[in-house]
Amino acid sequence: MITSRSTTEPTIMECPIGVVGTGVMGASLARNLERNLKQPIAIFDLNQEKVDVLLAQHPEADLRGFSEVGEFVGSLKHPQVVLLMVPAGKPVEAALASLCAELEPGAMVIDGGNTHYIETEKHIAYAAQHGIKFIGMGVSGGEQGALWGPSLMLGGDPSVWEALKPLLEPIAAKAEDGQPCVTLVGSGASGHFTKMVHNGIEYADIELISEAYTLLRSAGLTTKEVATELSSWNQGKNRSFLLESAVEVLSVKDPTHEGSLVDHILDQAKGKGTGAWTVMAGADYGVAVSIIGASTFVRSASSAVREREAWLHPEGEQTPRLNVSPTTIRDAYFTARLIAYQQGMSLLAAASAENNWGINLADISRIWRAGCIIRAGFLGDISAIYENDPESASFTATEPFRGQVIAGMHSLRQTVAGASLAAIPIPALATSLNHQTLLETPRLSTALVQLLRDYFGAHTFERTDAAGSFHIVWEDDRQQIQTSS
Ligand SMILES: NC(=O)C1=CN([C@@H]2O[C@H](COP(=O)(O)OP(=O)(O)OC[C@H]3O[C@@H](n4cnc5c(N)ncnc54)[C@H](OP(=O)(O)O)[C@@H]3O)[C@@H](O)[C@H]2O)C=CC1
Ligand SMILES: O=C(CO)[C@H](O)[C@H](O)COP(=O)(O)O
């Protein structure tokens, strides 16, 4: 059944793209596509009511609604292009299976949801059996971004990008220089991997801002004053969407009680999985994403209600007093934020090398300049560093960031020390300090780690003065033997 309000005639091969899933993101993206492509857009949802509501609420948009997959597919121009905006997991599998039965070989199915990249690899193989290209595409920007300009991270081959460019560039966010925030980030599942890492950085920055808020409150500022302080931080290259969002949410008064809304919010955060996936990917690829880890586990620890109750401090909710200035907290936050972005970039580089995805970090930082949740004023400078040196080991070790990190480390140290003495938990700031200190330390405690592993498990060790692997015959004469050259 066709439920389009825009036409009484059946829609056959008129739509350049169809959207499956008309929830928060799908509805906004369908409207964005219609507004920018100025062509009818097909929409389909298992929940017919959602389609009807969308059509009723937006009579100005030429959206063609369908309740039957065959008719939905029949409304698409060739090559057929479908954008899936359904929850990850079973809904993607179910939607893909029903589409593969209807679409013609050569069709393209884009999954714009937050699907785990390993699942994406399976979907690519499944669709290929039907001659269909499955494309994992990270979409960031939330509901408003989807409507007015998201950042889009596409994974696939160059022919897919050529075909989809005319559909995606018009709907993507535009950076200050007018460039659209969409690109082919690499092959295979790299689009979804990139979005996952984006969300990992999002977890870290949200936690760092939240810790800075707590510290500023402990330093004696009211919530209103914290909002003003954060607003003063949100300038020039330091500005970011998340800082701007913090200023906005901290300025909201509680609708039912005295004071700020934030004072009446339960201090137990949850997540939908992308932060944890980033931590697991870090472990898989051997990249320290420790700040993202700390930020993910804060949410778990905050929600461990029984354990927290068992340890609750007798002084209850008294705010500890912190003797660190707002300027020092600001510089600590700016420094930790750069270190967190670097961890995400390092993970992208490692996974790309391992999978031959061909991810270009300059392009990724370029398309994160607008539209996405982690957009920030300094991403243009990060992009320039990777443009100049695609193999750069670390943008933070390169100017202008190197000088900023060196200058900011003292503030980060003062802040972490002050918070520790005042018994204020700041896992993300503390982890940033430790991670950066580790990178700057000429000789680490991991020498003893090597030796202990060899002692109990004959895992061998490497030496500073000779190549190859060695083992000590611990239980005998403690001779050193070379196990490989
Ligand atoms: N919300 C956000 O800010 C962002 C979300 N994302 C990701 O985008 C994806 C979609 O998110 P969102 O729009 O928030 O989700 P919603 O739950 O709001 O919308 C999903 C819609 O898809 C429908 N649906 C489920 N299964 C099928 C199917 N097999 N065929 C057709 N329609 C189906 C659902 O119907 P029903 O209601 O009956 O279940 C629902 O209407 C997720 O992967 C999410 O993680 C990405 C970026 C930001
Ligand atoms: O994808 C997004 C933004 O780009 C979502 O906002 C993000 O996934 C929220 O994650 P969580 O609910 O786990 O905090």
Side-chain angles (χ1 to χ4, degrees):
M1 185 180 74
I2 297 170
T3 59
S4 168
R5 284 169 53 94
S6 319
T7 176
T8 50
E9 295 300 314
T11 308
I12 299 168
M13 292 177 59
E14 277 187 62
C15 305
I17 184 166
V19 179
V20 172
T22 52
V24 175
M25 296 297 284
S28 293
L29 283 166
R31 288 171 57 206
N32 184 347
L33 283 159
E34 192 276 341
R35 195 178 62 247
N36 283 293
L37 302 181
K38 299 182 175 51
Q39 294 182 64
I41 303 299
I43 55 172
F44 173 85
D45 198 298
L46 276 187
N47 185 342
Q48 183 60 34
E49 210 185 314
K50 283 200 178 162
V51 175
D52 292 338
V53 168
L54 181 57
L55 295 174
Q57 286 179 343
H58 295 285
E60 79 289 354
D62 189 358
L63 300 173
R64 312 284 170 97
F66 298 89
S67 59
E68 204 277 309
V69 180
E71 288 180 358
F72 167 77
V73 167
S75 74
L76 302 174
K77 283 181 183 173
H78 284 72
Q80 297 158 317
V81 180
V82 176
L83 172 60
L84 287 184
M85 288 310 299
V86 303
K90 295 274 176 236
V92 171
E93 271 175 42
L96 180 62
S98 62
L99 285 166
C100 281
E102 302 288 345
L103 289 166
E104 292 182 13
M108 286 168 267
V109 177
I110 309 167
D111 175 10
N114 284 334
T115 296
H116 191 274
Y117 71 102
I118 299 287
E119 290 298 308
T120 305
E121 283 168 359
K122 291 181 196 159
H123 298 329
I124 291 171
Y126 172 86
Q129 291 168 7
H130 298 81
I132 291 164
K133 288 193 171 173
F134 184 87
I135 298 126
M137 180 174 80
V139 177
S140 182
E143 188 174 16
Q144 288 305 306
L147 183 58
W148 297 110
S151 173
L152 302 171
M153 300 147 240
L154 196 76
D157 59 55
S159 69
V160 158
W161 177 225
E162 283 315 306
L164 296 180
K165 214 180 195 173
L167 300 178
L168 299 178
E169 280 193 343
I171 67 161
K174 306 294 175 296
E176 273 174 3
D177 59 3
Q179 284 191 45
C181 291
V182 53
T183 196
L184 182 75
V185 299
S187 60
S190 60
H192 275 154
F193 191 92
T194 302
K195 175 64 198 306
M196 178 192 78
V197 174
H198 164 285
N199 282 19
I201 297 172
E202 175 184 308
Y203 270 57
D205 199 10
I206 288 175
E207 176 59 25
L208 289 168
I209 291 174
S210 303
E211 290 177 10
Y213 154 75
T214 299
L215 293 175
L216 290 167
R217 292 281 285 120
S218 300
L221 275 65
T222 63
T223 301
K224 198 171 164 222
E225 286 166 345
V226 174
T228 309
E229 178 68 22
L230 295 187
S231 179
S232 75
W233 298 5
N234 191 38
Q235 308 291 331
K237 290 191 177 176
N238 284 319
R239 75 191 183 280
S240 75
F241 170 72
L242 284 171
L243 261 181
E244 184 189 313
S245 306
V247 172
E248 189 154 343
V249 302
L250 289 173
S251 306
V252 174
K253 288 203 181 336
D254 189 74
T256 51
H257 295 84
E258 279 290 295
S260 305
L261 176 59
V262 70
D263 294 333
H264 301 279
I265 302 290
L266 203 61
D267 62 345
Q268 296 161 27
K270 297 188 175 55
K272 290 194 280 294
T274 47
W277 296 349
T278 312
V279 178
M280 290 187 259
D284 285 343
Y285 291 101
V287 177
V289 288
S290 48
I291 309 166
I292 298 169
S295 308
T296 302
F297 291 128
V298 165
R299 297 191 189 187
S300 318
S302 74
S303 301
V305 178
R306 290 187 56 237
E307 204 177 342
R308 285 182 64 193
E309 276 169 1
W311 277 105
L312 194 62
H313 202 279
E315 282 168 22
E317 289 191 2
Q318 255 185 26
T319 310
R321 292 296 300 189
L322 177 74
N323 194 17
V324 179
S325 75
T327 312
T328 303
I329 298 169
R330 178 197 66 191
D331 293 346
Y333 164 70
F334 286 158
T335 309
R337 177 172 66 172
L338 290 176
I339 300 167
Y341 272 71
Q342 178 61 64
Q343 288 195 341
M345 289 298 182
S346 298
L347 177 57
L348 282 171
S352 177
E354 179 107 359
N355 295 294
N356 286 320
W357 281 333
I359 285 181
N360 176 331
L361 295 178
D363 281 349
I364 292 192
S365 19
R366 180 176 59 73
I367 64 161
W368 283 352
R369 288 177 304 158
C372 66
I373 305 296
I374 64 164
R375 60 186 184 261
F378 52 84
L379 277 155
D381 284 347
I382 298 180
S383 183
I385 288 171
Y386 287 118
E387 191 76 57
N388 187 44
D389 178 10
E391 303 302 321
S392 169
S394 166
F395 79 80
T396 50
T398 313
E399 295 301 352
F401 298 108
R402 189 181 184 90
Q404 288 171 24
V405 170
I406 290 170
M409 279 298 275
H410 185 63
S411 296
L412 188 50
R413 248 178 248 297
Q414 280 188 313
T415 303
V416 173
S420 301
L421 291 172
I424 303 167
I426 44 154
L429 283 164
T431 305
S432 311
L433 173 64
N434 270 305
H435 181 71
Q436 184 60 29
T437 305
L438 179 153
L439 294 176
E440 293 176 12
T441 300
R443 185 155 170 81
L444 299 171
S445 34
T446 31
L448 181 55
V449 171
Q450 284 219 69
L451 209 49
L452 285 168
R453 287 179 68 243
D454 187 61
Y455 176 72
F456 64 73
H459 294 294
T460 75
F461 54 84
E462 291 166 309
R463 296 188 54 97
T464 55
D465 51 4
S469 300
F470 298 86
H471 168 62
I472 299 284
V473 188
W474 295 101
E475 64 283 7
D476 194 9
D477 55 358
R478 302 201 166 171
Q479 287 261 331
Q480 175 178 280
I481 52 173
Q482 184 151 15
T483 55
S484 74
S485 52

